[in-house]
Every structure is written in structure tokens, then in C-alpha cells.
Amino acid sequence: MRKQGRRRRITNAAMSAAAFACVIIALVPLASILYSAAVEGGKAIGPAFFTQNEPPPCSPTLQANCPTGGIANALQGTLILVGIATLIALPLGILTGIYLSEYGRLSRFGAGVRFVTDVMTGIPSIVVGIVIFAIFLLVAQAGWIPLRYVTSATSGIVALTVIMTPIVARTVEEALRLVPTTIREAALALGIPRWRAILRIVLSTGKAGVVTGALLAVARASGETAPLIVTAGGSFFGFAGFDQSIAAMPLLIYVNGLSGVPNYVTLAWGTALVLILIMLGISLAARLALHRVLKGAGAAR
Amino acid sequence: MTTKLSVEHLSAFYGPKRALDDVSLEFNDREVTAIIGPSGCGKSTLIRCLNRIHETQPGARAEGRVLLDGADIYEQDAVEVRRRIGMVFQKPNPFPTLSVYDNVAAGLRLNGVRDRNAIHVKVVESLRKAALWDEVKDGLMAPGVRLSGGQQQRLCIARALAVDPEILLMDEPASALDPIATAKIEDLVFDLKRTYPVIIVTHNMQQAARVAERTAFMYLGKLIEVGVTRELFERPKEKLTEGYITGRFG
Amino acid sequence: MTGVERKALTESLDQLNENMATLAELAKVAIRKAVESLEEGGKAEADAVFTLDQEIFALKQEITRRCVDLIALHAPVARDLRTITASLEMTTDLDRIGRYSRDIAEIAREIAPSASREVRRMDKLAKMGELTVRMIDLALDAFRHRDAEPVKNMIAEDDAVDDLHDDLFRELVARMADRSLSPHIGAQLILINRYFERLADHAVNIGDHVAYMVTGQRLTRVKRPKTGLPLGPQY
């Protein structure tokens, strides 16, 4: 008996150690990314970083006099692209999520919408970008819009919206499904029309999930590079109109990071660091919001 | 004894499955009617048809007539019917994101009432009627879900009363509560019946015997027997009724 | 129907029914022996009745206790409830039957054997005894068989017994007045006449409880007012 006990204890300890080791191994790449970004990106951060636009390329021979520049235009570009896309995707996604959860649970149409939404969350973002590009091109070739719209802030916003909406829709649907039916029935039993019950009670009860969904979608959109390559296009300048190309942070990282030009590379690292910090911030905000809502409502006995 | 609610040949379905089979029954004003029966007999389905909550479940439908003051509720606006017929559910379900005060006010606010004074008066009145006022008056802004089970259920009763229903439906209101909380709910029903007709579904026969003037016994979707509670419990007419209430089956 | 048995309740109810059956038997035997002791004048019979009365009393106590327990613990309804309530009420009547039987036996022991010849000659008294025993038998058999049919006419039968009681009373008074019956014996016989009449009433009570237990309805009673003792034309 005692031998069995000891063997069990050894096995326990061995498994715990193995699991712990796996965690360490999994964390190594993450740690190295954070470290590199912090070290390299830290070099670039300074007041100019946030206020100046992307500098023109600088030849290596003139390195000493290269203007460092900043990411002001890229920051502005990302804000505009993601901001406006959010303004469109959020209501669209929430309404779709509401439909899927409240009206379309059993209907064939609902099942269809759900399927399409699921598929769309999985489409590689480059594909989305190419398709939007192609559509805009076709429409421009047909003469309905000027050609310059094909790579512009507008097409960039459209691409991001297409990426974000399914995410919001699915997350909202899941969040609303978690609201117990009895809450819905209690609201209906008070003699309220269904749509009002959904908006005021169900949505409010599931708002933790809705907020999480929104933040997730925003985080995803902020980091998307591929679709923006073929739609927004990138630029050295600030916002010049919805029919013009526009800069964006991920684009900056992609183009500058691979350019080999030292000041560009530094700029790219700085942008990467800023993006990581933004992502961290959004994750934290989502977690905090969830925690606060759960603390208030979930502490029921 | 005026008839407040009259059920005529009501059948109800969940998809293809028939849950209520040609039920006809009357409910009187200012009286408590209990509906008893074993699990699956259709008593919850019946009561959910009375305020048209049954049909909100996907795939569910009902046939027949339910007359409130002589008018068929199935030919009226469902939302209006539900405002006139209030319901309290088996598991207390206060709105989780709202405070005690806001829970009670919810029905009023969501029906468009804006006058803050009128709302306040109604909230206090409803909490008093539900015998909850003394326990919550110093914590009206606390989240509704922080109350104990019994208090939450009384909160739900206050919420239902705030919209001035004409009838109160209660679906096993005390089954999730401990004996003391149950007794408080029963006392509450005793007071409420002075103003509202109350229809209460219960699986606890002694509870039906304690609170109801009339009792109806259902089995497998059919109404087996209905009568004055004292009569039903002392000399039931149907063998099935006798078997159930003496505890020989069910 | 699923076989839920409520074993505790069923066992207790079975015990109650058994006890009630025993009590009924004891009462039947008691009244029979009481009448015998009156007509045969046997001291042995009289003593037997005293013992029976004590047993009846003790069993009644136990049955009452059991009924209270059943009500407190099991919240009985419908037939169970009626059985228990009827049993509770019947124990009173059966106890009274035992008591009156004892009273009759006491008198029998005192006036027998000298008066037993006299007693045997009194047709009406014999008839009273016979009717009483028959009514008690009827009610207790109906109880044992849980059948309310036989007791439906008990009220009418009781009216007949009441009438016979009045007749016998008048006769006894008349015979004491014209000295064909000693007052000492006559007074005792008047008591016995009364006891028989009361016993018949208790038999009707039992019939009433049986009807309630089985059907839920009691016998319809229209009680004729007792207009006081019928004194007869001599007074």
C-alpha cells in the first residue's frame, strides 16, 4: 500500500513539473517578442515620435543627418480607419447578433446567416482585402465611382468593417444566448413589446459579452495589415480625404520594417511597441469591464 | 363569485407534442385557484397560456379560447394581455443589472411612464403590497440579485404588481424557497387575494390546501377534477384525484 | 400509476383498521353477554362484561393516540382522512356501548336470579334487547365491510326502537302502579330500557360514521324531539 502511495506522489510531482515546463516553453516566444519590441522600440519613442509624420527615406550615407520622424500620420490613419469601421460594424454586428439570438434561433434563415457569419470570421483577411479591392475596381471600371477610390480610406474602412462585423455578431449572439430565458419571459410578462424587452433588458443583461465582442473586434482591426495593403494603400502624409490613400500603423511596420533603412526600421519597432501596448490596453479594458459587470450582477446567491 | 377568466377547450402544443388536451376551466375574482398534478401534467403549460407566454417559446402554439372578462385574449394584442395578466415565475428572476428600486419600476418605465413621482409612489406601494418594503427600504439602490431567495421572489411579485395587473399568475412560486420563505409567500397570497384573483400552480398539495379556495387537478394534459378545495381534499370525485392526493402515485 | 406506497402511513392505517376491528368485536360480544346475563341470570356472564368494558376502554385510548399521530405526521386527505376521523368518532360510541353493557350487566347481577323469570316474560324488553343487538351488529358489519348500503335505513329503525322504548316505559310504570311489578325491580328495568334506547342511538351514530367514511356524506337526520317522558293517562 505504502509503495503505491509513494509512486502516486512521484507521478503527481512529475506531471506537475512537466506541465509547468510546457507553460514556460509556450511563454518563451511571447517573452522574446515583448522584449525585442520593448528594447528596439524604446529607442524610437520620444515626443517627436507621436507628433511628426513618417519621414522620407534616408540613404545610409546620410545616416547621421536622417530625420527621425514619427508615426503621427500612421496613428491618425489607424484611428480614422478603425474608428469609422467600428462605428459601422458595431451597430451592424450588434443588430445581427440580436437577430441571431432572439429571432433566428430555429429558423432556416437564421441558420443560414449564422453559417455565413461563421465562415466570414474565418476568411483570411488578405482575401477580404483582395475581394474589396476587386469590387471597388469593377465598380470604378463601370464608371460609378472615380478610380482613386480603389485604394483609399473608404475601401480600407469597408475592408475593416467586413472583417469586424461577423466577430461582433457572433460574440453578441453568444453573449445574448447566455441570458437566461426566464429573464426574457419576466420582461415580456410585464407587458412590454418584444423589441423593447430585447433592447432594454436582454442587451443590458448581456452587456458584458457585447462589450467584450466590441473590444475584440477593435483589437483585431487595429492589427490588420494584409487587407490594408491592397485597400488603404499607406501614405507619408496625414488624412487627405476619403478618396485618398491613408497611412496605418500595421502598414508602417510592414513596409518600413522590411525596408532595411535604419531609421525606418527603428520607426517600425516603435510602432510595433505602440501597437502591442494598445492591444494590451484593450485586453485589460475588456477584462476590467467584464470583472466589474460580473462583480455587480453575478454575486447573486 | 364573478368569473374573471374563463378557459374554453384549450389545447397547447410544443411542436408536434400535445401538452394540454381540451381543458375548460373557470377562475373567479378575488379568489385563489390552485392547479395541482404530477410532473408533466400540463399545469405550467396551462398557466403560461393564460398570459400568452407559452407562445413565445419557439415552436409552441395554443388552440382554443381564453376569455378575460368575456373577451378572448387570443384575439387581442398579446403585449396588452400580458400587462393585464401578471406572472411570477418558479425561480426568482429579478433583472440582474438593475437595483431593487429599478426592478420594481422596470414595468412602468418600459411601458413609457415618465413621471418620477408617480413611479416612486407605485414602487413604494408595490413593495409594501409584497411585504418587502421594511426589508429593503434602506437599500433600494442595492442590486436586486443581492437579496435572499425569498426576498428576490417577493421583489418579483412587487415588480409584477407595479403595473396593476387584473390577475396574478404564480408558477410554483415557492418551490425554490425554504419553509419560512414559503410561508411568507403564502401569507402574501392570502393578503393579495383581497384585491386580485390569483392562480397558483403548485406541486405541493398541502400548499394548495392551505391557500386556495378552489383546486383543479390535472393529469397528462387533461383536467381531471376541479372543485372547492375542502371538497376535493375530503371527498374527491375521481379515483385518479384520490390516488394522487393520498400520495399513492405521482 | 407509479407505485408510491407511503409505507409509514399505510402500515399505521392498517394497524388502525385492525385495532378498530378488534374494538368492534369486543363491543359486539359485550352487549350480547350483557343481554344474556340479564335473561339467564348468570354471574359469569356479568363478570365477563366487566372485563370486556375495561379492555374496550384501554383499546379506545390506544386508537385515539394512533389517530392523532396519523393526523399530525401524515396530513391525510380524502379516504384516509375520513377513515381516521370516522374511527376517532366511533371509538366514543363503542366505548359507550361497552359502558352501557357493563351497566346492564351490573343490574343483571343484582336482580338475578330472582327476577330473571320476570324479565324473560317481558316480551317488549326482550324485543328491545334483540333490536339493539341487531342494530349494533348491522352497523359494525357495515364498518367491517366498508359498505354504506345497509346503514341507510338505520334512522327509521331507531325511530322504531324509540317508540318501543316509550311503550315499554308506559307498561313498566303501569305495572308498578298496579303492584304486579315490584318498584325495586321495576326501577332497574326502567334503567335498562333507557340503556337499550341509548345503545340503539349509538348504533345509529356508528352507521352515520360508516356512511361518511365510505361515501363522504352523512346520513340525513331529522331528529324527532323527545317530548319528555311519556307518563301515560294514570297521571
Side-chain angles (χ1 to χ4, degrees):
Chain A
M1 253 323 151
R2 225 182 265 160
K3 249 194 221 155
Q4 275 190 345
R6 195 169 46 174
R7 192 157 41 146
R8 214 181 297 134
R9 273 199 296 274
I10 293 177
T11 315
N12 265 344
M15 292 304 284
S16 302
F20 192 66
C22 287
V23 171
I24 300 293
I25 294 173
L27 284 180
V28 163
L30 179 64
S32 96
I33 291 174
L34 287 174
Y35 179 71
S36 310
V39 166
E40 300 293 331
K43 291 189 207 156
I45 306 283
F49 185 75
F50 292 105
T51 52
Q52 290 185 12
N53 287 346
E54 193 175 339
C58 190
S59 94
T61 52
L62 295 171
Q63 213 166 349
N65 295 330
C66 287
T68 42
I71 63 165
N73 61 333
L75 204 56
Q76 180 200 47
T78 297
L79 279 172
I80 291 177
L81 287 169
V82 175
I84 297 182
T86 306
L87 280 176
I88 304 174
L90 223 48
L92 215 57
I94 289 177
L95 285 173
T96 309
I98 290 178
Y99 170 78
L100 285 175
S101 163
E102 303 301 311
Y103 294 93
R105 281 214 207 174
L106 286 188
S107 75
R108 271 225 203 109
F109 183 64
V113 173
R114 198 172 293 119
F115 178 67
V116 167
T117 318
D118 270 338
V119 167
M120 287 185 70
T121 53
I123 295 183
S125 52
I126 180 67
V127 174
V128 174
I130 295 278
V131 168
I132 299 295
F133 174 83
I135 292 177
F136 267 75
L137 192 59
L138 282 171
V139 170
Q141 282 176 342
W144 291 334
I145 54 169
L147 196 61
R148 59 181 184 279
Y149 272 94
V150 176
T151 37
S152 65
T154 311
S155 61
I157 288 171
V158 171
L160 287 183
T161 308
V162 168
I163 292 173
M164 286 174 75
T165 309
I167 299 177
V168 174
R170 281 308 251 135
T171 324
V172 165
E173 184 200 353
E174 291 305 315
L176 293 186
R177 266 185 193 258
L178 283 176
V179 174
T181 311
T182 181
I183 299 288
R184 281 186 192 79
E185 290 185 344
L188 289 175
L190 289 172
I192 321 174
R194 189 145 175 219
W195 61 268
R196 206 181 270 162
I198 292 173
L199 278 182
R200 300 285 297 273
I201 301 288
V202 180
L203 206 57
S204 143
T205 307
K207 65 180 168 237
V210 173
V211 166
T212 312
L215 289 173
L216 266 174
V218 168
R220 169 92 183 262
S222 310
E224 283 295 342
T225 320
L228 294 182
I229 294 174
V230 291
T231 52
S235 123
F236 286 105
F237 309 103
F239 177 68
F242 283 107
D243 59 340
Q244 304 294 323
S245 302
I246 189 170
M249 289 200 287
L251 275 181
L252 192 153
I253 298 175
Y254 173 61
V255 174
N256 293 8
L258 300 177
S259 68
V261 180
N263 66 337
Y264 277 3
V265 173
T266 316
L267 216 55
W269 275 115
T271 317
L273 181 62
V274 170
L275 254 184
I276 291 179
L277 289 175
I278 290 179
M279 295 302 183
L280 259 162
I282 291 180
S283 284
L284 225 74
R287 212 162 280 273
L288 265 174
L290 204 65
H291 178 73
R292 199 148 50 108
V293 172
L294 283 182
K295 208 159 84 103
R301 303 189 219 159
Chain B
M1 271 300 134
T2 48
T3 302
K4 185 74 179 167
L5 196 65
S6 178
V7 176
E8 291 180 7
H9 301 292
L10 185 66
S11 292
F13 302 83
Y14 291 104
K17 180 164 170 288
R18 181 192 286 260
L20 278 186
D21 192 356
D22 196 28
V23 173
S24 296
L25 187 50
E26 282 182 4
F27 300 97
N28 295 327
D29 204 353
R30 292 186 213 277
E31 198 180 70
V32 181
T33 310
I35 306 179
I36 62 173
S39 302
C41 68
K43 52 190 194 288
S44 276
T45 310
L46 173 61
I47 203 177
R48 285 162 61 95
C49 284
L50 297 181
N51 71 343
R52 299 187 62 175
I53 283 284
H54 169 78
E55 66 206 45
T56 65
Q57 193 166 329
R61 66 182 171 91
E63 284 169 8
R65 311 207 307 159
V66 175
L67 306 176
L68 174 62
D69 289 332
D72 189 0
I73 64 174
Y74 280 90
E75 280 167 15
Q76 295 169 26
D77 175 29
V79 172
E80 183 58 27
V81 166
R82 290 188 204 122
R83 199 204 55 73
R84 291 173 70 192
I85 303 183
M87 180 174 248
V88 174
F89 296 80
Q90 185 170 345
K91 198 160 167 302
N93 54 9
F95 298 131
T97 53
L98 299 183
S99 66
V100 168
Y101 187 94
D102 289 333
N103 256 291
V104 182
L108 292 163
R109 290 202 180 116
L110 291 170
N111 265 306
V113 176
R114 297 244 173 278
D115 182 350
R116 288 174 59 197
N117 278 328
I119 292 181
H120 186 80
V121 164
K122 246 312 172 252
V123 168
V124 174
E125 177 190 312
S126 305
L127 284 171
R128 275 197 212 279
K129 276 193 209 164
L132 189 60
W133 173 251
D134 286 328
E135 291 167 57
V136 297
K137 63 178 184 245
D138 295 323
L140 287 174
M141 287 308 160
V145 291
R146 287 262 181 88
L147 302 177
S148 75
Q151 289 172 325
Q152 282 189 22
Q153 191 63 303
R154 277 179 280 148
L155 177 61
C156 292
I157 294 176
R159 180 179 66 185
L161 294 178
V163 292
D164 283 326
E166 294 169 43
I167 302 181
L168 192 59
L169 305 175
M170 303 179 102
D171 189 355
E172 303 203 34
S175 68
L177 306 177
D178 64 75
I180 305 266
T182 300
K184 286 195 186 166
I185 300 282
E186 288 177 14
D187 280 347
L188 194 50
V189 171
F190 191 77
D191 289 334
L192 289 175
K193 77 177 176 203
R194 272 186 260 139
T195 327
Y196 313 90
V198 178
I199 303 173
I200 179 168
V201 164
T202 177
H203 65 257
N204 180 340
M205 277 178 318
Q206 266 63 55
Q207 181 173 86
R210 284 193 293 267
V211 305
E213 275 85 25
R214 278 163 48 91
T215 302
F217 169 61
M218 292 186 63
Y219 184 65
L220 292 182
K222 289 193 173 49
L223 176 66
I224 304 294
E225 189 176 339
V226 59
V228 173
T229 302
R230 202 185 51 243
E231 288 286 323
L232 195 114
F233 278 92
E234 206 179 310
R235 31 181 166 261
K237 297 198 187 76
E238 301 290 328
K239 272 228 137 327
L240 221 48
T241 317
E242 169 125 14
Y244 178 70
I245 65 178
T246 54
R248 296 308 197 283
F249 84 90
Chain C
M1 299 189 191
T2 59
V4 171
E5 285 169 46
R6 291 191 75 178
K7 288 186 179 160
L9 170 64
T10 312
E11 190 178 292
S12 201
L13 270 177
D14 287 344
Q15 190 60 49
L16 171 68
N17 290 332
E18 213 177 282
N19 286 352
M20 285 300 293
T22 310
L23 189 62
E25 269 309 303
L26 288 176
K28 266 199 204 176
V29 173
I31 181 60
R32 260 189 187 69
K33 284 219 183 285
V35 169
E36 261 173 44
S37 72
L38 191 57
E39 290 173 352
E40 310 296 326
K43 195 167 170 307
E45 271 87 3
D47 287 335
V49 179
F50 298 151
T51 318
L52 280 169
D53 176 53
Q54 281 173 323
E55 281 176 36
I56 287 176
F57 183 71
L59 191 52
K60 173 209 159 157
Q61 304 277 69
E62 192 188 311
I63 288 175
T64 305
R65 211 168 28 235
R66 184 175 293 277
C67 286
V68 172
D69 284 348
L70 277 164
I71 292 174
L73 300 178
H74 299 286
V77 288
R79 195 167 294 256
D80 296 340
L81 176 65
R82 297 200 306 268
T83 305
I84 295 167
T85 342
S87 300
L88 254 182
E89 290 174 313
M90 280 196 298
T91 51
T92 312
D93 295 299
L94 290 166
D95 180 60
R96 293 272 82 206
I97 289 177
R99 187 60 207 260
Y100 284 130
S101 300
R102 190 182 106 155
D103 292 339
I104 292 175
E106 264 177 9
I107 293 178
R109 197 168 54 170
E110 199 191 298
I111 66 177
S114 55
S116 51
R117 242 181 319 115
E118 276 278 10
V119 169
R120 270 195 296 258
R121 275 198 308 147
M122 298 207 137
D123 294 339
K124 290 205 179 70
L125 191 61
K127 189 95 180 117
M128 281 292 283
E130 184 193 313
L131 283 177
T132 304
V133 169
R134 200 173 67 194
M135 283 178 74
I136 292 179
D137 274 352
L138 184 75
L140 291 177
D141 283 343
F143 170 63
R144 191 173 74 223
H145 295 123
R146 300 286 195 265
D147 182 5
E149 270 301 304
V151 304
K152 281 209 315 222
N153 294 321
M154 283 198 85
I155 310 267
E157 285 178 40
D158 185 51
D159 288 343
V161 170
D162 287 346
D163 288 341
L164 186 56
H165 162 271
D166 293 346
D167 282 348
L168 180 54
F169 180 86
R170 272 191 289 269
E171 185 184 308
L172 289 172
V173 167
R175 288 189 52 186
M176 281 195 289
D178 71 18
R179 310 260 167 208
S180 59
L181 182 60
S182 85
H184 176 71
I185 304 229
Q188 302 284 46
L189 291 183
I190 287 183
L191 282 176
I192 291 183
N193 187 20
R194 171 62 80 183
Y195 293 155
F196 278 140
E197 189 258 325
R198 302 265 60 236
L199 281 163
D201 281 345
H202 282 294
V204 174
N205 283 352
I206 292 176
D208 186 53
H209 301 321
V210 171
Y212 172 68
M213 186 173 77
V214 173
T215 68
Q217 305 292 343
R218 299 202 176 261
L219 299 175
T220 39
R221 298 228 220 191
V222 179
K223 252 211 172 291
R224 292 186 317 181
K226 292 251 187 264
T227 53
L229 296 174
L231 296 179
Q234 302 91 311
Y235 286 55

